[in-house]
Amino acid sequence: MKSTGIVRKVDELGRVVLPIELRRTLDIAEKDSLEIYVDSDRIVLRKYEPACIFCGSMEDTSLFKNKMVCRACREVMATPK
């Protein structure tokens, strides 16, 4: 993990401001969703990108019954047994 040297305080509502430089570098725009992970004693934020519920791929996904499914998995599901 790379340190940026940037320190921010948590406000009374639990919010932290992400510096514009980081948002630009990581292509995070207003209203973008972030995923929150916990790794032992660390909080990790990652830009949310919907992935296939079956294989985890983010390539060529589309919504199927409110779930993201990639083309490869859709093709497998469409193939008769």
Side-chain angles (χ1 to χ4, degrees):
M1 207 174 308
K2 183 176 161 185
S3 174
T4 63
I6 299 169
V7 176
R8 292 288 189 257
K9 291 189 180 209
V10 177
D11 74 7
E12 60 278 352
L13 296 176
R15 297 175 297 199
V16 177
V17 174
L18 300 176
I20 190 71
E21 301 84 17
L22 288 179
R23 288 183 277 142
R24 286 180 181 152
T25 301
L26 299 173
D27 193 29
I28 298 171
E30 268 186 48
K31 310 282 184 182
D32 280 352
S33 296
L34 298 177
E35 287 185 277
I36 303 170
Y37 297 92
V38 175
D39 181 17
S40 67
D41 65 340
R42 295 180 176 163
I43 299 170
V44 179
L45 300 176
R46 189 167 108 184
K47 185 175 177 179
Y48 175 68
E49 306 221 19
C52 177
I53 61 166
F54 297 111
C55 70
S57 171
M58 288 187 252
E59 301 288 319
D60 197 17
T61 58
S62 62
L63 207 55
F64 176 75
K65 294 190 177 185
N66 290 326
K67 304 291 181 190
M68 296 305 289
V69 181
C70 72
R71 174 180 287 182
C73 290
R74 288 192 310 269
E75 289 173 0
V76 169
M77 289 188 298
T79 306
K81 291 183 181 181

